[in-house]
Amino acid sequence: MIEDNMLHRKLFAAWLQKAGHEPVLVPDERLAYLEAVSRQPDAIITDIRLPYVDGREIIRQLKASPLTQHIPIMAITVLSGKTDEDSCRSAGADVFLTKTIRMAAFIKEVDAITA
């Protein structure tokens, strides 16, 4: 999971753990590709508005690499417009969610992409 906001990071990690998933937190989005290559996670959950690299660029990089393109990616963000969703999906996101989502819907989406 790539999330710069500590509160969101803790919340989403707790939800994932409660649902039986084992979240791995990437503390700096600049390490996302290397972590994905080495860990080969079942899915990647990334924020879009990050301090160093835009989340859409991370998604593009992951989907462009033969080493990571098979990993489903969930974009989760405070951005909620149709153009925001379109830009995330164009970058390669498999799922787009806003941070107003509730736990059950969040877990449902994670379970769907990791099944």
Side-chain angles (χ1 to χ4, degrees):
M1 180 171 43
I2 309 156
E3 171 61 66
D4 63 313
N5 180 293
M6 184 177 42
L7 294 175
H8 288 140
R9 195 168 46 234
K10 286 181 178 181
L11 177 66
F12 298 143
W15 287 357
L16 290 165
Q17 288 172 335
K18 185 171 182 169
H21 298 282
E22 297 176 25
V24 173
L25 306 176
V26 178
D28 184 327
E29 69 271 17
R30 295 171 291 189
L31 303 173
Y33 176 76
L34 294 175
E35 289 286 330
V37 168
S38 68
R39 294 181 183 271
Q40 291 294 302
D42 294 331
I44 295 170
I45 300 168
T46 185
D47 188 8
I48 298 304
R49 294 176 57 189
L50 296 161
Y52 302 108
V53 182
D54 185 86
R56 289 165 285 227
E57 185 53 39
I58 293 168
I59 295 167
R60 279 189 280 279
Q61 181 184 26
L62 291 165
K63 289 300 187 175
S65 171
L67 300 174
T68 55
Q69 63 188 193
H70 64 282
I71 303 170
I73 300 176
M74 174 189 289
I76 188 159
T77 180
V78 296
L79 305 172
S80 61
K82 178 71 172 137
T83 56
D84 300 311
E85 179 175 357
D86 291 346
S87 68
C88 289
R89 291 197 182 273
S90 292
D94 300 286
V95 175
F96 175 87
L97 299 174
T98 63
K99 288 187 177 175
T100 58
I101 193 162
R102 299 201 183 270
M103 180 182 161
F106 176 81
I107 295 303
K108 181 179 176 184
E109 293 290 346
V110 172
D111 288 345
I113 63 173
T114 59

